[in-house]
Amino acid sequence: MVAACLMTGCVSASRVDDLEQQCRRLQYEVDKSKKEKDKGRSEYAEVNAGLNSLRSEVQALRGEQEQTAFRLDSHIKEYQSWRQAKEPPSAPATTGPDGAPVVTGDAGSAPGSDAGAPPEAAVDEETLYDTGRQRLNAADYDGARAAFGKMVQLYPKSEQCDNALFWIGETYYREKNFEKAILEYQKIIDKYPKGNKFPAALLKQGLAFKEIRDDVNARLRLKQVVRDFPNSEEAKLAAQRLKEL
């Protein structure tokens, strides 16, 4: 009888030990789960704080970009006002009996010096454009500007207008008249944002700003090329020039 009681007591004690071990394991798992949960909350808080910091930085950069763009627009308007004040008023256009404009030959020729010339309206846009390119390649920059300018004036809806304006800008750039080049490139940026010469106009305007040591506006235009046209040849050149600023 005593032996049976002792055995029963041993079994009960063993069962108690098993239950205590199970309790300890369960408590361990609970504690572990709680720690992991607390750790997760801490990591979430850190990530959220990082996101808030990034949002603040993005907003600051956007504000800086808007301010820089405003300065760029103001700078260009100053150039335009300065150039208009320096340039003499243009001579009135010569017209024929029917009121149509008359071709006067090369730029600078006196009105009526080419008496046999047909009305300008009879000169097709392709001829004017090709003449401008030929004169540009021959470094006849005044003649190139005259031809391209006539084409833009007579055919303002032509698909070649943005190209003609770009080449006018190039004539000034090659003459190192960078202020005027900036104004011509701006015409493309304002009027032909979807034209094929838009990336090139941004790039060359940025390079023109660089030439006159306006590094702030140069960076703005070059970064715009890299950001908006990342796979273009213009972007590659813009990235190279940015390293020099």
Side-chain angles (χ1 to χ4, degrees):
M1 183 70 176
V2 174
C5 290
L6 289 174
M7 289 180 64
T8 301
C10 290
V11 171
S12 299
S14 176
R15 178 61 176 165
V16 170
D17 290 341
D18 290 341
L19 291 174
E20 288 180 347
Q21 290 179 5
Q22 291 180 20
C23 287
R24 284 195 294 270
R25 283 197 298 270
L26 289 173
Q27 186 63 48
Y28 172 78
E29 294 295 333
V30 169
D31 293 342
K32 180 180 178 182
S33 177
K34 183 179 179 181
K35 289 180 180 178
E36 290 177 350
K37 188 175 182 180
D38 292 341
K39 181 180 179 182
R41 288 177 177 172
S42 176
E43 290 177 350
Y44 172 79
E46 291 178 2
V47 171
N48 193 45
L51 286 174
N52 290 334
S53 177
L54 286 175
R55 290 191 187 100
S56 299
E57 185 175 353
V58 169
Q59 289 177 352
L61 288 174
R62 284 177 178 171
E64 181 180 349
Q65 185 179 23
E66 290 175 357
Q67 291 177 2
T68 305
F70 176 78
R71 288 197 300 269
L72 175 58
D73 290 339
S74 299
H75 199 164
I76 291 172
K77 289 178 181 178
E78 290 176 3
Y79 280 138
Q80 290 172 334
S81 300
W82 176 64
R83 279 295 175 181
Q84 288 174 357
K86 287 187 62 177
E87 291 179 352
S90 57
T94 303
T95 59
D98 58 352
V102 176
V103 174
T104 58
D106 290 343
S109 300
S113 61
D114 190 0
E120 282 188 332
V123 184
D124 63 274
E125 60 180 292
E126 185 176 351
T127 298
L128 288 171
Y129 186 81
D130 290 344
T131 299
R133 290 302 306 270
Q134 291 169 8
R135 294 184 178 182
L136 176 65
N137 292 336
D140 177 9
Y141 300 131
D142 287 335
R145 283 192 289 268
F148 288 129
K150 287 178 183 177
M151 199 214 85
V152 173
Q153 179 184 10
L154 295 175
Y155 304 97
K157 296 183 179 180
S158 169
E159 294 181 355
Q160 294 277 41
C161 277
D162 58 336
N163 291 276
L165 291 173
F166 179 82
W167 296 124
I168 291 175
E170 285 294 281
T171 65
Y172 289 121
Y173 192 94
R174 296 183 187 185
E175 289 178 333
K176 300 186 183 303
N177 191 341
F178 300 114
E179 290 87 355
K180 269 207 165 185
I182 287 170
L183 298 180
E184 293 300 324
Y185 296 135
Q186 187 64 32
K187 292 178 182 178
I188 302 168
I189 295 169
D190 290 339
K191 296 180 181 180
Y192 303 98
K194 296 183 179 180
N196 67 311
K197 279 293 187 285
F198 185 72
L202 292 174
L203 171 66
K204 293 307 295 281
Q205 192 181 68
L207 297 180
F209 276 123
K210 181 176 180 292
E211 292 288 347
I212 61 174
R213 302 181 186 279
D214 187 346
D215 292 347
V216 173
N217 288 322
R219 285 193 190 94
L220 177 66
R221 281 306 189 218
L222 296 177
K223 286 181 178 179
Q224 185 177 356
V225 176
V226 174
R227 183 186 68 243
D228 295 346
F229 306 95
N231 299 320
S232 66
E233 290 298 322
E234 289 84 0
K236 293 179 182 178
L237 183 57
Q240 293 175 2
R241 293 294 183 268
L242 278 169
K243 295 177 182 179
E244 301 171 1
L245 294 173

